[in-house]
Amino acid sequence: MPDMSHGAHAQPPTRGQRWSEFRKSPFWPAVVLVLILAAAAGLFAGSYTYSMANPTPHSIPTAVVGSYEQARGQAFLDGLEKALNASVKVHTYGSAAEARQAVEDQEVFAIFDIRDDGRTAVLSVSGASGASVAEVLADTAPVVGEKTGVEVTVQDINPLQEGDPRGLAIFYISLAAVIIGFVGAIQLSVHARSLTPFERILFTLAYALLGGFAIVAAVDWLLGALDLPFVESWMILALTLFASGMVFTMFNTLFGRWAMLPTWGLMILLGNPSSGGAVSWPLLPSPLGEIGKWLPPGASVNAQHMAVYFQGHQHAFPFLVLGGWALLSCAVFWIWRHRHPGGRERRPAHAES
């Protein structure tokens, strides 16, 4: 009986068969990746543009001391709130020393000292608390003072370091730690696929420690851009690298080869624009300003910022956030380690003899 599966009388493949063959071919994941990368490009540009292109004051905690209850002083504060769309959150203090302590503790971003029954005011901004916030207040206050008859003097009581005039260096080093953290984990999954779970955690910790040291050495020793408290900055960066790497490893365990999608979304699309590094939290859209504090990029920027400019006033919260993400990621990876695409099986005892 002649073979009729090929030739002129062969049945053409059905649409379902063609679709099945396409799904099994390398073209299917390639097409999916093209669409994902195109969407990621738009989301990446959109997330940064949304948060940074037009920073607008939303809630700026500000200290007020002196004659703020006098009519002219009150008119000045009211005019300032009106000029900034009621975004100045005023906290009154009994003395300039108390207000300065609040700045050091990062409870407020500036001090308005109303003097001479409201005729003069000294605005003490803190560039190190947030260069963008300091700039907004320093530009707005003199204009409002002219309209309300108050002579305003502006001073910076905690300026940025000379090598970092825009206050972006901390954002850059934290960004480097976040990106290298999960890129390192990706490379381990590709080039050291057979690592056991314990070995994978250990090597993630190893490149985190060495990477943190390299960042501090390059920025401080080599370039002199920032005078960093070496050990504290190193440990913050190492914890950031480790947390970022383990976040990818966790998602790799849960989602396999598509782990880069949630990692990129959490760390880059959401975490970095909301970190407060490039634009201070009071100038970010309100939801981002709150969310960013709970994500590794924001926690890293916050901890590094306090270490560099507010030594002795460090907060535990950013370390708890970084440590929490690292612990959660390690726990998820360890509990479901059998699902991770890497690892190697133990050799049977008889095979070793």
Side-chain angles (χ1 to χ4, degrees), residues 66-286:
S67 307
Y68 54 86
E69 293 182 342
Q70 298 296 327
R72 191 173 295 185
Q74 192 62 53
F76 170 72
L77 293 177
D78 291 343
L80 188 67
E81 290 193 7
K82 183 178 180 180
L84 294 176
N85 295 319
S87 57
V88 177
K89 189 176 181 181
V90 173
H91 299 268
T92 59
Y93 292 87
S95 68
E98 292 179 6
R100 180 63 183 266
Q101 182 65 35
V103 172
E104 294 295 323
D105 291 336
Q106 286 292 268
E107 295 174 358
V108 297
F109 281 76
I111 304 170
F112 283 100
D113 187 355
I114 312 298
R115 302 174 179 176
D116 302 324
D117 293 330
R119 290 189 295 273
T120 63
V122 176
L123 167 60
S124 299
V125 298
S126 175
S129 300
S132 50
V133 173
E135 184 177 355
V136 166
L137 291 175
D139 290 344
T140 306
V143 175
V144 173
E146 288 184 7
K147 294 180 178 179
T148 55
V150 178
E151 183 180 347
V152 179
T153 303
V154 180
Q155 63 179 7
D156 192 341
I157 58 175
N158 199 355
L160 294 162
Q161 295 183 18
E162 291 184 5
D164 185 27
R166 299 300 300 169
L168 294 175
I170 289 176
F171 173 65
Y172 293 146
I173 65 176
S174 300
L175 178 64
V178 167
I179 293 177
I180 297 301
F182 67 73
V183 167
I186 293 171
Q187 293 305 303
L188 283 181
S189 69
V190 173
H191 300 291
R193 186 180 181 87
S194 61
L195 289 174
T196 64
F198 177 75
E199 291 167 347
R200 191 171 299 277
I201 294 174
L202 191 63
F203 275 94
T204 302
L205 179 61
Y207 77 66
L209 288 169
L210 288 176
F213 181 90
I215 292 173
V216 174
V219 172
D220 190 342
W221 297 351
L222 182 62
L223 300 176
L226 281 176
D227 182 14
L228 298 171
F230 185 83
V231 174
E232 187 175 4
S233 288
W234 176 17
M235 291 300 103
I236 292 169
L237 290 167
L239 184 55
T240 304
L241 280 151
F242 181 73
S244 183
M246 290 311 303
V247 163
F248 173 82
T249 303
M250 173 182 68
F251 286 137
N252 199 201
T253 303
L254 297 176
F255 303 110
R257 64 181 178 178
W258 301 110
M260 187 57 188
L261 294 180
T263 304
W264 183 265
L266 182 71
M267 294 295 196
I268 302 301
L269 295 183
L270 184 60
N272 280 326
S274 64
S275 68
V279 175
S280 299
W281 279 319
L283 303 187
L284 289 173
S286 297

Side-chain angles (χ1 to χ4, degrees), residues 317-337:
F317 179 73
F319 293 94
L320 293 175
V321 171
L322 287 171
W325 278 100
L327 183 61
L328 172 66
S329 300
C330 287
V332 171
F333 168 53
W334 190 262
I335 293 170
W336 285 284
R337 59 190 180 275

